[in-house]
Amino acid sequence: MIFSQKKTPEIDKTELQIPLFGYDLLRKDVLPDLLGKEHNIILYWAGKSLARKYPVSSIDEIISFFSRAGWGDLTLVKEKKSELIFELTSHLFIDKKTAICPLEAGFLAEQIQVIKGFIAETNEELRSGTPKKVIFHVKWDIHDRTV
């Protein structure tokens, strides 16, 4: 069968919006069912893998990626010798008792690992209030260089 070579108009993917309900269905119901009780750790490693597919070279590019991916507004709030602290706010966290972001945490860990040149890991914590925030602590050991 020969398919038509007719061109379809380009869709500006930056303007598309996903309904919050649909996002929640995938993130909170489908993925945990598919991945089982270890879904958070699997999503963390999936975030690291995603970072390798979409490498960046600066923190500004990480912040831009979060925005483009619809993950929320990422802000670097503190920089220490071997730790970066980021804050993530998003309309996705409204009316949520908990907001966990293992995919985003893994993505951050891998990107910072490449940028800093040391093995890095990210821990997250939920800060209540209005708006709710997820705080990411990205830490690395200055004695544990990447190869």
Side-chain angles (χ1 to χ4, degrees), residues 1-71:
M1 176 178 231
I2 299 175
F3 292 98
S4 169
Q5 295 296 325
K6 184 177 173 182
K7 271 197 150 186
T8 57
E10 288 291 318
I11 297 173
D12 184 3
K13 294 178 183 177
T14 60
E15 297 299 320
L16 293 177
Q17 294 184 4
I18 299 171
L20 185 56
F21 179 66
Y23 179 84
D24 269 353
L25 284 175
L26 291 173
R27 191 82 180 228
K28 305 289 192 274
D29 294 319
V30 174
L31 287 177
D33 285 350
L34 286 175
L35 302 175
K37 65 181 180 178
E38 301 295 331
H39 71 279
N40 284 339
I41 193 69
I42 293 170
L43 287 176
Y44 183 88
W45 287 98
K48 291 177 76 65
S49 176
L50 190 62
R52 289 188 288 273
K53 293 176 184 171
Y54 294 91
V56 300
S57 58
S58 71
I59 291 172
D60 287 338
E61 288 181 22
I62 295 171
I63 292 168
S64 177
F65 186 93
F66 266 67
S67 179
R68 286 183 47 226
W71 290 348

Side-chain angles (χ1 to χ4, degrees), residues 85-87 123-127 133-137:
I85 301 172
F86 292 92
E87 179 179 274
N123 295 305
E124 57 186 306
E125 66 178 277
L126 176 66
R127 291 260 172 91
K133 302 171 185 178
V134 174
I135 307 299
F136 294 107
H137 297 268

